[in-house]
Amino acid sequence: LAKDLIGKKIFTCIDDQLTAGIITETEAYRGWGDKACHANEGKRTARTEIMFHPGGVAYMYLCYGIHYLFNIVTHKEGEAAAVLVRAIEPTIGTEIMLQRRNKVKVNPALTAGPGNVSQALGLNRNHYGNSLVSDTIWLEPNPDLTFEITTSTRIGVDYAGEDALLPWRFYMKNNHFVTKK
DNA sequence: GACAAGATTCGCT
DNA sequence: GCGAATCTTGTCG
């Protein structure tokens, strides 16, 4: 599913401000056999709770005390799994994204990187558990877009030991709106 | 109740 | 390339 989400459109309408982009980079996490996942070994806590819910909702969490990261919960009740959206290519509401990011120019620094994606789309802890089939956050297909997908290991999860080697990062080839390795 | 560490970003060198 | 910013969460006592 993380791979399938590449190329799809993500929309948010927050405070009456519409923004959207094309998902260009994702990473997969799951609650078993993945030490990089907060919910590994079925660790069900207040924070990870939402990952054990049926898919189609948002898992938001604060990273390094500064950045909110946006994840799409993807599995069934009791089986934790989520996809981290790491980068998007902005398409609608770029002025709003620039304002939220305190930037003046549209470039990859605007929406490449999970913390940047959340900030540009206006997502924060208030959206924890929100439905992704709603008037606030939703996804749309992008049938006319053609592209290739590159696979790699996930970023920033060295602490996960051998699980850091899992090929669970996907990004759109030849698109500048991705995080550099 | 205390403490260590983190799915990052940005500015400075 | 390096290190600071910043605070929630989970774990342990």
Side-chain angles (χ1 to χ4, degrees), chain A residues 38 61 67 71 113 115 159:
Chain A
H38 298 150
Y61 86 97
H67 310 286
N71 298 251
Y159 61 87

mmCIF file of all heavy atoms in Angstrom, chain A residues 38 61 67 71 113 115 159, chain B residues 5-11:
data_model
loop_
_atom_site.group_PDB
_atom_site.id
_atom_site.type_symbol
_atom_site.label_atom_id
_atom_site.label_comp_id
_atom_site.label_asym_id
_atom_site.label_seq_id
_atom_site.Cartn_x
_atom_site.Cartn_y
_atom_site.Cartn_z
ATOM 1 N N HIS A 38 6.741 2.182 16.163
ATOM 2 C CA HIS A 38 6.375 2.453 17.560
ATOM 3 C C HIS A 38 5.523 1.341 18.140
ATOM 4 O O HIS A 38 5.535 1.102 19.339
ATOM 5 C CB HIS A 38 5.594 3.782 17.657
ATOM 6 C CG HIS A 38 6.395 4.961 17.220
ATOM 7 N ND1 HIS A 38 5.820 6.080 16.652
ATOM 8 C CD2 HIS A 38 7.726 5.196 17.254
ATOM 9 C CE1 HIS A 38 6.767 6.962 16.367
ATOM 10 N NE2 HIS A 38 7.927 6.452 16.704
ATOM 11 N N TYR A 61 2.134 12.143 15.206
ATOM 12 C CA TYR A 61 2.912 12.137 16.448
ATOM 13 C C TYR A 61 4.046 13.135 16.367
ATOM 14 O O TYR A 61 4.472 13.544 15.299
ATOM 15 C CB TYR A 61 3.430 10.727 16.760
ATOM 16 C CG TYR A 61 4.735 10.399 16.088
ATOM 17 C CD1 TYR A 61 5.938 10.526 16.770
ATOM 18 C CD2 TYR A 61 4.748 9.989 14.771
ATOM 19 C CE1 TYR A 61 7.133 10.228 16.157
ATOM 20 C CE2 TYR A 61 5.939 9.686 14.151
ATOM 21 C CZ TYR A 61 7.138 9.806 14.851
ATOM 22 O OH TYR A 61 8.321 9.525 14.237
ATOM 23 N N HIS A 67 8.588 18.350 15.423
ATOM 24 C CA HIS A 67 7.880 18.104 14.169
ATOM 25 C C HIS A 67 6.749 17.098 14.302
ATOM 26 O O HIS A 67 6.930 16.043 14.898
ATOM 27 C CB HIS A 67 8.862 17.582 13.117
ATOM 28 C CG HIS A 67 10.086 18.422 12.994
ATOM 29 N ND1 HIS A 67 10.067 19.652 12.368
ATOM 30 C CD2 HIS A 67 11.350 18.246 13.427
ATOM 31 C CE1 HIS A 67 11.274 20.174 12.419
ATOM 32 N NE2 HIS A 67 12.079 19.358 13.060
ATOM 33 N N ASN A 71 1.010 10.053 9.264
ATOM 34 C CA ASN A 71 0.982 8.667 8.795
ATOM 35 C C ASN A 71 -0.441 8.263 8.435
ATOM 36 O O ASN A 71 -1.400 8.725 9.053
ATOM 37 C CB ASN A 71 1.426 7.696 9.887
ATOM 38 C CG ASN A 71 2.849 7.922 10.345
ATOM 39 O OD1 ASN A 71 3.733 7.131 10.055
ATOM 40 N ND2 ASN A 71 3.089 8.989 11.089
ATOM 41 N N GLY A 113 10.312 15.957 3.089
ATOM 42 C CA GLY A 113 10.622 15.694 4.491
ATOM 43 C C GLY A 113 9.324 15.622 5.279
ATOM 44 O O GLY A 113 8.463 16.493 5.110
ATOM 45 N N GLY A 115 8.315 16.169 8.339
ATOM 46 C CA GLY A 115 7.911 17.299 9.174
ATOM 47 C C GLY A 115 7.415 18.441 8.306
ATOM 48 O O GLY A 115 6.446 19.133 8.642
ATOM 49 N N TYR A 159 18.527 2.832 14.629
ATOM 50 C CA TYR A 159 18.372 2.217 15.946
ATOM 51 C C TYR A 159 17.605 0.902 15.894
ATOM 52 O O TYR A 159 17.559 0.164 16.862
ATOM 53 C CB TYR A 159 17.632 3.187 16.883
ATOM 54 C CG TYR A 159 16.244 3.544 16.407
ATOM 55 C CD1 TYR A 159 15.157 2.750 16.744
ATOM 56 C CD2 TYR A 159 16.035 4.647 15.584
ATOM 57 C CE1 TYR A 159 13.887 3.047 16.284
ATOM 58 C CE2 TYR A 159 14.775 4.956 15.123
ATOM 59 C CZ TYR A 159 13.709 4.151 15.472
ATOM 60 O OH TYR A 159 12.454 4.448 15.006
ATOM 61 P P DA B 5 19.999 7.528 25.949
ATOM 62 O OP1 DA B 5 20.743 6.281 25.726
ATOM 63 O OP2 DA B 5 20.685 8.830 26.014
ATOM 64 O "O5'" DA B 5 18.866 7.627 24.832
ATOM 65 C "C5'" DA B 5 17.854 6.623 24.786
ATOM 66 C "C4'" DA B 5 16.820 7.030 23.767
ATOM 67 O "O4'" DA B 5 15.964 8.063 24.315
ATOM 68 C "C3'" DA B 5 17.423 7.606 22.474
ATOM 69 O "O3'" DA B 5 16.687 7.111 21.383
ATOM 70 C "C2'" DA B 5 17.201 9.094 22.641
ATOM 71 C "C1'" DA B 5 15.872 9.116 23.376
ATOM 72 N N9 DA B 5 15.595 10.343 24.101
ATOM 73 C C8 DA B 5 16.480 11.204 24.678
ATOM 74 N N7 DA B 5 15.913 12.234 25.264
ATOM 75 C C5 DA B 5 14.566 12.024 25.052
ATOM 76 C C6 DA B 5 13.421 12.754 25.426
ATOM 77 N N6 DA B 5 13.469 13.879 26.114
ATOM 78 N N1 DA B 5 12.221 12.267 25.066
ATOM 79 C C2 DA B 5 12.170 11.128 24.361
ATOM 80 N N3 DA B 5 13.165 10.358 23.958
ATOM 81 C C4 DA B 5 14.349 10.862 24.343
ATOM 82 P P DG B 6 17.345 7.082 19.918
ATOM 83 O OP1 DG B 6 17.727 5.703 19.574
ATOM 84 O OP2 DG B 6 18.326 8.176 19.783
ATOM 85 O "O5'" DG B 6 16.061 7.439 19.051
ATOM 86 C "C5'" DG B 6 14.820 6.787 19.316
ATOM 87 C "C4'" DG B 6 13.679 7.709 18.918
ATOM 88 O "O4'" DG B 6 13.586 8.811 19.841
ATOM 89 C "C3'" DG B 6 13.857 8.348 17.524
ATOM 90 O "O3'" DG B 6 12.582 8.543 16.954
ATOM 91 C "C2'" DG B 6 14.455 9.695 17.858
ATOM 92 C "C1'" DG B 6 13.663 10.021 19.103
ATOM 93 N N9 DG B 6 14.269 11.041 19.961
ATOM 94 C C8 DG B 6 15.599 11.202 20.245
ATOM 95 N N7 DG B 6 15.832 12.200 21.050
ATOM 96 C C5 DG B 6 14.576 12.730 21.311
ATOM 97 C C6 DG B 6 14.194 13.827 22.109
ATOM 98 O O6 DG B 6 14.899 14.582 22.779
ATOM 99 N N1 DG B 6 12.822 14.023 22.099
ATOM 100 C C2 DG B 6 11.923 13.249 21.396
ATOM 101 N N2 DG B 6 10.634 13.589 21.498
ATOM 102 N N3 DG B 6 12.261 12.219 20.636
ATOM 103 C C4 DG B 6 13.607 12.021 20.642
ATOM 104 P P DA B 7 11.833 7.386 16.070
ATOM 105 O OP1 DA B 7 10.471 7.438 16.529
ATOM 106 O OP2 DA B 7 12.566 6.101 16.013
ATOM 107 O "O5'" DA B 7 11.842 8.049 14.630
ATOM 108 C "C5'" DA B 7 12.953 7.915 13.758
ATOM 109 C "C4'" DA B 7 12.524 8.233 12.343
ATOM 110 O "O4'" DA B 7 11.571 7.235 11.927
ATOM 111 C "C3'" DA B 7 11.809 9.565 12.179
ATOM 112 O "O3'" DA B 7 11.948 10.015 10.832
ATOM 113 C "C2'" DA B 7 10.354 9.197 12.443
ATOM 114 C "C1'" DA B 7 10.297 7.836 11.735
ATOM 115 N N9 DA B 7 9.316 6.939 12.319
ATOM 116 C C8 DA B 7 9.479 6.098 13.388
ATOM 117 N N7 DA B 7 8.411 5.401 13.671
ATOM 118 C C5 DA B 7 7.481 5.803 12.716
ATOM 119 C C6 DA B 7 6.151 5.450 12.476
ATOM 120 N N6 DA B 7 5.502 4.547 13.199
ATOM 121 N N1 DA B 7 5.511 6.053 11.458
ATOM 122 C C2 DA B 7 6.179 6.956 10.733
ATOM 123 N N3 DA B 7 7.427 7.379 10.864
ATOM 124 C C4 DA B 7 8.034 6.754 11.879
ATOM 125 P P DT B 8 13.245 10.991 10.588
ATOM 126 O OP1 DT B 8 13.155 11.423 9.205
ATOM 127 O OP2 DT B 8 14.448 10.332 11.126
ATOM 128 O "O5'" DT B 8 12.913 12.267 11.499
ATOM 129 C "C5'" DT B 8 11.693 12.990 11.328
ATOM 130 C "C4'" DT B 8 11.965 14.475 11.270
ATOM 131 O "O4'" DT B 8 12.840 14.856 12.357
ATOM 132 C "C3'" DT B 8 12.646 14.968 9.996
ATOM 133 O "O3'" DT B 8 11.824 15.939 9.416
ATOM 134 C "C2'" DT B 8 13.982 15.557 10.454
ATOM 135 C "C1'" DT B 8 13.709 15.880 11.908
ATOM 136 N N1 DT B 8 14.896 15.862 12.778
ATOM 137 C C2 DT B 8 15.110 16.930 13.599
ATOM 138 O O2 DT B 8 14.395 17.908 13.641
ATOM 139 N N3 DT B 8 16.210 16.824 14.407
ATOM 140 C C4 DT B 8 17.095 15.770 14.462
ATOM 141 O O4 DT B 8 18.037 15.796 15.226
ATOM 142 C C5 DT B 8 16.821 14.682 13.567
ATOM 143 C C7 DT B 8 17.724 13.490 13.547
ATOM 144 C C6 DT B 8 15.750 14.772 12.783
ATOM 145 P P DT B 9 12.156 16.616 7.975
ATOM 146 O OP1 DT B 9 10.881 16.873 7.304
ATOM 147 O OP2 DT B 9 13.201 15.830 7.312
ATOM 148 O "O5'" DT B 9 12.751 18.019 8.412
ATOM 149 C "C5'" DT B 9 11.958 18.835 9.257
ATOM 150 C "C4'" DT B 9 12.744 20.032 9.703
ATOM 151 O "O4'" DT B 9 13.769 19.647 10.638
ATOM 152 C "C3'" DT B 9 13.444 20.799 8.581
ATOM 153 O "O3'" DT B 9 13.001 22.134 8.641
ATOM 154 C "C2'" DT B 9 14.934 20.665 8.886
ATOM 155 C "C1'" DT B 9 14.936 20.400 10.375
ATOM 156 N N1 DT B 9 16.053 19.592 10.884
ATOM 157 C C2 DT B 9 16.725 20.014 12.017
ATOM 158 O O2 DT B 9 16.447 21.047 12.595
ATOM 159 N N3 DT B 9 17.726 19.191 12.441
ATOM 160 C C4 DT B 9 18.129 18.008 11.865
ATOM 161 O O4 DT B 9 19.046 17.344 12.330
ATOM 162 C C5 DT B 9 17.395 17.628 10.683
ATOM 163 C C7 DT B 9 17.749 16.359 9.966
ATOM 164 C C6 DT B 9 16.402 18.424 10.256
ATOM 165 P P DC B 10 13.352 23.156 7.456
ATOM 166 O OP1 DC B 10 12.140 23.949 7.215
ATOM 167 O OP2 DC B 10 14.013 22.444 6.348
ATOM 168 O "O5'" DC B 10 14.435 24.078 8.162
ATOM 169 C "C5'" DC B 10 14.170 24.563 9.483
ATOM 170 C "C4'" DC B 10 15.434 25.182 10.026
ATOM 171 O "O4'" DC B 10 16.321 24.145 10.488
ATOM 172 C "C3'" DC B 10 16.189 26.000 8.984
ATOM 173 O "O3'" DC B 10 16.453 27.292 9.493
ATOM 174 C "C2'" DC B 10 17.459 25.202 8.731
ATOM 175 C "C1'" DC B 10 17.632 24.413 10.034
ATOM 176 N N1 DC B 10 18.308 23.111 9.855
ATOM 177 C C2 DC B 10 19.166 22.656 10.853
ATOM 178 O O2 DC B 10 19.338 23.356 11.854
ATOM 179 N N3 DC B 10 19.792 21.469 10.695
ATOM 180 C C4 DC B 10 19.570 20.742 9.591
ATOM 181 N N4 DC B 10 20.212 19.581 9.483
ATOM 182 C C5 DC B 10 18.700 21.187 8.566
ATOM 183 C C6 DC B 10 18.085 22.373 8.737
ATOM 184 P P DG B 11 17.018 28.449 8.510
ATOM 185 O OP1 DG B 11 16.031 29.546 8.502
ATOM 186 O OP2 DG B 11 17.480 27.870 7.225
ATOM 187 O "O5'" DG B 11 18.284 28.896 9.356
ATOM 188 C "C5'" DG B 11 18.267 28.819 10.779
ATOM 189 C "C4'" DG B 11 19.687 28.733 11.286
ATOM 190 O "O4'" DG B 11 20.185 27.384 11.129
ATOM 191 C "C3'" DG B 11 20.658 29.639 10.516
ATOM 192 O "O3'" DG B 11 21.544 30.253 11.434
ATOM 193 C "C2'" DG B 11 21.384 28.679 9.585
ATOM 194 C "C1'" DG B 11 21.412 27.414 10.424
ATOM 195 N N9 DG B 11 21.510 26.177 9.654
ATOM 196 C C8 DG B 11 20.888 25.876 8.475
ATOM 197 N N7 DG B 11 21.168 24.678 8.029
ATOM 198 C C5 DG B 11 22.047 24.163 8.973
ATOM 199 C C6 DG B 11 22.692 22.898 9.028
ATOM 200 O O6 DG B 11 22.629 21.963 8.231
ATOM 201 N N1 DG B 11 23.490 22.783 10.155
ATOM 202 C C2 DG B 11 23.650 23.757 11.112
ATOM 203 N N2 DG B 11 24.457 23.472 12.112
ATOM 204 N N3 DG B 11 23.045 24.943 11.068
ATOM 205 C C4 DG B 11 22.261 25.071 9.978
#
